[in-house]
Amino acid sequence: MTHLHADFYARDTLTVARELVGRYLLRRLNGAELVCRITETEAYIGAVDKACHAYGGRRTSRTKTLYAAPGTSYVYLIYGMYCCLNLVTEAQGTAAAVLIRGAVPVCGIDEIACNRFGVKAGDMTAYQRKNFLNGPGKLCKGLGITRAQNGLDVENNELVVCTDMPELGLAAVTPEICVGKRIGIDYAQEAVDFPWRFYEPV
């Protein structure tokens, strides 16, 4: 497999957010390899973005990971129950990251379905299939990503992002990408209108 290294993430956040669409996210969990193809991302840049947890240089126990080295996983909890996976971008000390907002499973699908719904993939309802990993909390639940994965170097064996995985028959892809406003940030004033969401057309 072709891993993405720190230099991939140590770039402009919008570029990284766009180029993560179509890449493979590998989660090794309990001896299984769970793989999905990233289909949707959002960029967050603390210096100018009121939707970013570290806007204005805010540093808290929650946001300190945003200032870590590029390629570090930033996992936070929303609504007290859903985890969201982000990948830190730009230079260390610069608060910026890309939220992995949606994906489609390509390997370990039964395990991912059991994590999400408690059933194997073949037993999912039409509604469950439609709403499998199409949201950041759903993605983390399906892949068993929790706050325990906060602060990981995503080149490690537990969580990896790859361009291709030929050993699993997964080739590199160059998807069509749409650009739009981010979701669920109505509080963020002018940042609501930033076109910082990148996604494959449905």
Side-chain angles (χ1 to χ4, degrees), residues 14-130:
L14 299 179
T15 299
V16 176
R18 178 186 288 272
E19 292 185 9
L20 278 170
V21 177
R23 309 294 178 132
Y24 297 103
L25 175 61
L26 165 63
R27 167 77 164 117
R28 291 189 172 98
L29 180 66
N30 299 326
E33 291 194 339
L34 312 181
V35 184
C36 59
R37 192 184 79 250
I38 298 169
T39 58
E40 184 177 2
T41 64
E42 291 180 345
Y44 290 84
I45 303 173
V48 297
D49 182 9
K50 292 177 181 174
C52 182
H53 296 160
Y55 174 67
R58 184 182 303 118
R59 287 179 182 261
T60 67
S61 58
R62 181 196 203 194
T63 65
K64 64 182 180 181
T65 308
L66 273 171
Y67 295 89
T72 300
S73 61
Y74 170 46
V75 182
Y76 62 84
L77 199 64
I78 57 171
Y79 310 128
M81 58 191 301
Y82 301 114
C83 286
C84 295
L85 171 66
N86 301 255
L87 302 175
V88 174
T89 55
E90 306 197 18
Q92 185 166 355
T94 302
V98 174
L99 171 67
I100 309 302
R101 185 167 183 86
V104 292
V106 293
C107 185
I109 299 176
D110 278 341
E111 292 89 343
I112 298 171
C114 284
N115 291 338
R116 274 284 283 132
F117 303 115
V119 298
K120 291 188 175 181
D123 296 322
M124 291 192 300
T125 66
Y127 177 84
Q128 289 170 334
R129 288 193 296 272
K130 182 179 179 181

Side-chain angles (χ1 to χ4, degrees), residues 3 26-29 33 153-160:
H3 294 198
L26 165 63
R27 167 77 164 117
R28 291 189 172 98
L29 180 66
E33 291 194 339
D153 176 345
V154 295
E155 291 187 55
N156 72 16
N157 287 327
E158 189 174 344
L159 197 62
V160 181

Side-chain angles (χ1 to χ4, degrees), residues 124-143:
M124 291 192 300
T125 66
Y127 177 84
Q128 289 170 334
R129 288 193 296 272
K130 182 179 179 181
N131 295 280
F132 199 175
L133 301 179
N134 61 339
K138 299 172 187 178
L139 173 72
C140 284
K141 186 173 182 182
L143 297 182

